[in-house]
Amino acid sequence: IAEKRAGAEEYLLERRLLRRLATGELINERWTQFAFPNWWHYDVLRGLDYMRRADVRDERLDEALDLVEERRLADGRWARDRIHPGEIHFDIDGPEGEPSKWVTLRALRVLKWSGREQ
């Protein structure tokens, strides 16, 4: 399992979590929008949170970390950019486009792990 995980991690790192390997183009604009809950959808913050949990440190994460920093609102929080379709029994976050405590938690956790947030 460890070998397969390392291979998958390398696959993501080669693409800096969001770019096509062959052209360097952004794979999907939606991957730069942060959602909660994620359900099965991918975004850069989710990819970074995985790398944090796996403690995979690599300079190829810098672009994704820069994106997280750039998306920070003036008040220090991050917005809930998307709400993916699906049944939410208890909506415990703000509306789409508004600051999100859950997106903010994940962003701060990733930035702290990376050494970019004190």
Side-chain angles (χ1 to χ4, degrees), residues 76-88:
R77 297 181 290 174
W78 280 261
R80 183 185 198 185
D81 298 317
R82 299 178 61 79
I83 300 174
H84 296 297
E87 189 171 351
I88 299 176

Side-chain angles (χ1 to χ4, degrees), residues 1-20:
I1 292 173
E3 181 182 331
K4 296 298 181 189
R5 281 183 58 176
E9 291 160 1
E10 182 60 26
Y11 179 90
L12 289 170
L13 289 169
E14 286 176 334
R15 289 153 180 81
R16 295 174 303 204
L17 303 186
L18 70 156
R19 301 226 170 249
R20 295 187 188 283

Side-chain angles (χ1 to χ4, degrees), residues 98-117:
E98 295 294 319
S100 162
K101 60 186 169 191
W102 295 104
V103 173
T104 298
L105 171 70
R106 293 170 55 224
L108 287 173
R109 201 167 50 190
V110 162
L111 291 177
K112 183 177 181 182
W113 163 79
S114 72
R116 293 185 178 211
E117 180 75 23

Side-chain angles (χ1 to χ4, degrees), residues 26-34 42-44 82 84:
L26 186 64
I27 294 171
N28 190 325
E29 183 69 33
R30 290 179 296 194
W31 290 4
T32 66
Q33 299 170 341
F34 306 144
Y42 176 81
D43 63 47
V44 169
R82 299 178 61 79
H84 296 297

Side-chain angles (χ1 to χ4, degrees), residues 59-105:
E59 64 186 19
R60 293 172 289 181
L61 297 174
D62 287 348
E63 181 180 7
L65 289 164
D66 291 345
L67 176 70
V68 172
E69 289 181 325
E70 291 166 10
R71 302 296 313 284
R72 190 176 212 163
L73 302 172
D75 67 2
R77 297 181 290 174
W78 280 261
R80 183 185 198 185
D81 298 317
R82 299 178 61 79
I83 300 174
H84 296 297
E87 189 171 351
I88 299 176
H89 299 286
F90 303 98
D91 194 7
I92 57 173
D93 209 356
E96 192 172 286
E98 295 294 319
S100 162
K101 60 186 169 191
W102 295 104
V103 173
T104 298
L105 171 70

